[in-house]
Amino acid sequence: MAHDVIELRGLRVSGIVGVLAHERTQVQPLDIDLDVEADLGPAGASDDLADTIDYGALCAVAEEVVATTEFALLEALAERIATSVLAADARIEAVTVWVRKLRPPVAQQLSTSGVRITRSRA
């Protein structure tokens, strides 16, 4: 397993996620980070885009999941993103997905609420 990581930070998307009534009817802003583990040695040696993972394609995968599905839990959303990212490119060995609500529905002054999961190929 490679210890090389592509880091994608601060993907801003809007979607339906939550258990409260207003969260089920109104899109809300989400922040997504991805850490994608893959062998980046070939790209480092060749300096050829074809030898690495397409960053834009990974962002599009996460964006598509949020835009086309609704979830009660951030955990389920993160799981679907992780599964979709792993399926996007066979060279991806593992992915860590952070999903944060930028307007968490709590009474306290909380900047974000979120989850982080890591999934790898079986």
Side-chain angles (χ1 to χ4, degrees), residues 6-121:
I6 294 170
E7 295 182 7
L8 303 172
R9 298 287 181 263
L11 176 63
R12 296 290 170 101
V13 295
S14 294
I16 300 286
V17 60
V19 295
L20 301 177
H22 73 277
E23 293 180 298
R24 305 300 310 148
T25 59
Q26 296 177 356
V27 297
Q28 62 181 298
L30 303 168
D31 187 68
I32 298 173
D33 294 340
L34 301 173
D35 279 357
V36 176
E37 296 180 34
D39 183 0
L40 303 179
S46 71
D47 198 26
D48 186 341
L49 183 60
D51 289 333
T52 194
I53 312 296
D54 183 336
Y55 304 178
L58 296 176
C59 290
V61 166
E63 189 174 47
E64 178 75 10
V65 170
V66 174
T68 61
T69 53
E70 297 180 6
F71 295 95
L73 301 178
L74 288 174
E75 293 83 347
L77 173 56
E79 187 73 34
R80 178 73 59 83
I81 291 170
T83 300
S84 299
V85 166
L86 285 170
D89 193 308
R91 297 172 293 180
I92 297 171
E93 298 169 2
V95 61
T96 299
V97 178
W98 286 265
V99 179
R100 288 176 294 281
K101 287 184 180 182
L102 299 177
R103 295 184 198 138
V106 297
Q108 296 77 15
Q109 291 290 330
L110 184 63
S111 295
T112 67
S113 63
V115 299
R116 178 181 66 201
I117 66 167
T118 300
R119 299 294 179 264
S120 58
R121 296 199 181 278

